[in-house]
Amino acid sequence: MRFALKTALVSSMVAAASAAAVGTSAAVTPAATSSAAAAPVASSTPAPVVASTAAPPAATTAPPAAATTAAAIPASVSFASTGPSAVPLASITQGAATAPTGTLHPTLVPTPGATGPISGAPPLPSWSFVPGTFPPLDLVPPINSPQVSAWIQEVANSGITIPSIAATNPGGCPNNTAAVADTSACWWTCGECTRPTDITTCPDKLTWGVSYDDGPTPYTTDLLNFMSDVDIKSTFFIVGSRAISWSQTLQAEYMAGHQLSVHTWSHPYLTTLSNEQIIAELGWTREAIRQITGVSPNTMRPPYGDIDDRVRAICQAMGMTPIIWTSVNGQDFDTNDWNIPSGVSVDTVGEEFETILSQAVNELSTGFIVLAHDLYQQTVELATGYILPSALAARNPSFNLMPIITCQHKPLGDAYVETNNNVTNPFTGNANPLNGTAAITGTMNAGSSATGTGSTSSSTTTAKSGAEPVYGGMGAVKAVAVLAFAVVGGAMLVM
């Protein structure tokens, strides 16, 4: 059900994004793609929006239409506390009027050349987009480029064996009966199977690993301002195509001491892709973050939680530890906020939130990781007006909110290749530091051929059973492998 709902939501976002790319010179038109979630085609030479105050992409100003529009009725859910600038709950709906986007607090505005928040990190780059250096936006990147060839070779040289597990079919569990029946490949999507190398919880009870997916977006600014006001840090899972559109916001996240992590280039179901396509999705995203902030994340979150042992092995070979979110007795710690623009009521989301907190207190001996999004106006309004204020309100017992790297008892520096001390990281069972490629730069040439070797996805499909998604051990990558996100005016994708 989740697979189908989110795929439908993505399709509607694609349609909205194809109408126009506000604030960019790249026209976006729909096209077929090999990813399970269709994505818009964009020019490979977009002009990104670099100021967080710029006009947002069309998909963010016009949330996707749903088959049935939820009525704007007074919300009945009760929150423990509200933020000082909270909008009425009844206005956080599918058809909410577009609110003006905020501007960063002066103290959060990043300054190129400034010293980073982590000892030993390079100065904050003075970054500007160079046309032709990134793949087309919101599409699975081509694999026949020098950059991807180098990353394929990095995986081949890692010593990590990539299991011969067939790619899954688009369409989720109903369209993959053989994979569902065979649990040996630990496919999270159909059974919520996890491995010890996945991070899915925080070790300490009542510790809340805060995370926001799919940004940065024009609305992330308001979330950053609120977090600064109340002194909360989060983990942000970055979509490559968004990072280049909102590079100043990405820099502000990093400089404020939040953790950055890879969330792929085009937000596909990773198990539907070939090995080489998975490598390209991860590599370009990491490189975009590196170019904009100076650091390369060594963790990732699979879109939709869609991961199996083949995807895990590729992540391990690239020095990235998977992070998912907590699940208890089949209940995901997913706020479901991403579905408000498609018609889900704020009452439903509020009830999910209260269920999560109740389970965290009564059913978990550990801490937990919650899935939320800085994707839409509605998701950020709910976070800053209700979810986070309620989390911080006096409770008995109370929760400790922090980034996922921090809840793992790791310093923030261990979240990045350049500052990882390689002593406390990686976790047991994760990839050893790679002696590998230096940062790759240069022009993206979709017509060039890649000659690097690597396993292709073949063999029998296998499914997984089991637990929930979360991130496991944090992989240290000595090599500065590069991933770049280029997203300008495309559709916003969820989870």
Side-chain angles (χ1 to χ4, degrees), residues 202-228:
C202 299
D204 301 328
K205 187 173 177 62
L206 302 179
T207 299
W208 180 333
V210 182
S211 69
Y212 287 89
D213 286 21
D214 300 345
T217 72
Y219 309 108
T220 305
T221 295
D222 292 333
L223 182 59
L224 289 176
N225 288 342
F226 177 83
M227 287 183 166
S228 176

Side-chain angles (χ1 to χ4, degrees), residues 193-209:
C193 179
T194 58
R195 296 297 190 192
T197 50
D198 300 336
I199 297 177
T200 58
T201 62
C202 299
D204 301 328
K205 187 173 177 62
L206 302 179
T207 299
W208 180 333

Side-chain angles (χ1 to χ4, degrees), residues 208-214 220 223-224 226-228 230-238 252-261 299 301 323 369-374 383 388 400-407 412 415-416 471:
W208 180 333
V210 182
S211 69
Y212 287 89
D213 286 21
D214 300 345
T220 305
L223 182 59
L224 289 176
F226 177 83
M227 287 183 166
S228 176
V230 298
D231 195 23
I232 294 177
K233 305 297 183 189
S234 174
T235 299
F236 286 97
F237 291 93
I238 307 299
E253 290 174 343
Y254 168 67
M255 293 297 289
H258 300 283
Q259 179 188 1
L260 306 180
S261 185
T299 60
R301 172 172 281 172
I323 301 173
I369 297 170
V370 176
L371 173 66
H373 300 81
D374 56 327
L388 293 176
N400 298 313
L401 282 67
M402 62 189 68
I404 297 168
I405 182 73
T406 306
C407 87
L412 181 60
Y416 305 109
Y471 66 172

